[in-house]
Amino acid sequence: SMIARILGGAMSDKYGASRPMAMTLLVASLATGLASLVESGPALCVCRFLSGMGGGTLIIAQAWTAAMFSKNIIGTAMGLVLGIGYTGNGFALAFLGSALLPPLTASKGESRAWRILLLISGAFGLAAALIALCLADDTPEE
């Protein structure tokens, strides 16, 4: 995630935030989905390393927020964006682990349930990547 954060910051400076956000989410989400298909430890490690690149979205979100809000409210905007982002991560983990995993394990078995959860996570990430790519602006309307 450190490498992705450095690259994400540089790419946000050069291209704006929406394209680097979309690309980072795309790589991380595809790797998350592909992790559900692997059959070996090394392949899982590669997929999880690439999905960890999603940590680069933190810096991209900061750059995007800085570009979208005036300096007199940037602290509040950053607090909301990053606070909601981290809260969303925690909620997603709790929801997937606590609400979805037990019934999936009961109905599909332990070896398939975690794979299904990875596919669900990857699908949500791909949706977010498409939104960032197709609908997002890099700067506010004047």
Side-chain angles (χ1 to χ4, degrees):
S1 137
M2 179 185 72
I3 295 166
R5 288 177 179 176
I6 292 168
L7 291 173
M11 292 293 157
S12 293
D13 288 342
K14 186 171 184 172
Y15 300 109
S18 63
R19 286 187 281 171
M21 180 67 80
M23 293 303 110
T24 302
L25 288 170
L26 182 66
V27 168
S29 300
L30 287 174
T32 299
L34 288 173
S36 71
L37 304 174
V38 300
E39 297 293 332
S40 70
L44 182 61
C45 287
V46 169
C47 287
R48 297 307 291 161
F49 173 79
L50 291 172
S51 68
M53 294 298 184
T57 60
L58 171 72
I59 300 303
I60 299 167
Q62 287 179 308
W64 208 345
T65 304
M68 294 296 281
F69 293 93
S70 64
K71 63 183 175 181
N72 63 327
I73 61 165
I74 195 67
T76 301
M78 290 276 189
L80 287 169
V81 168
L82 298 176
I84 290 169
Y86 281 122
T87 302
N89 284 343
F91 174 78
L93 290 172
F95 178 72
L96 290 172
S98 300
L100 291 182
L101 188 58
L104 279 173
T105 300
S107 65
K108 301 293 183 187
E110 188 175 294
S111 66
R112 295 188 74 203
W114 68 270
R115 294 175 187 270
I116 293 168
L117 290 181
L118 287 173
L119 286 172
I120 292 169
S121 297
F124 275 102
L126 286 175
L130 289 172
I131 290 169
L133 190 61
C134 299
L135 300 177
D137 290 326
D138 285 321
T139 56
E141 300 289 325
E142 301 271 343

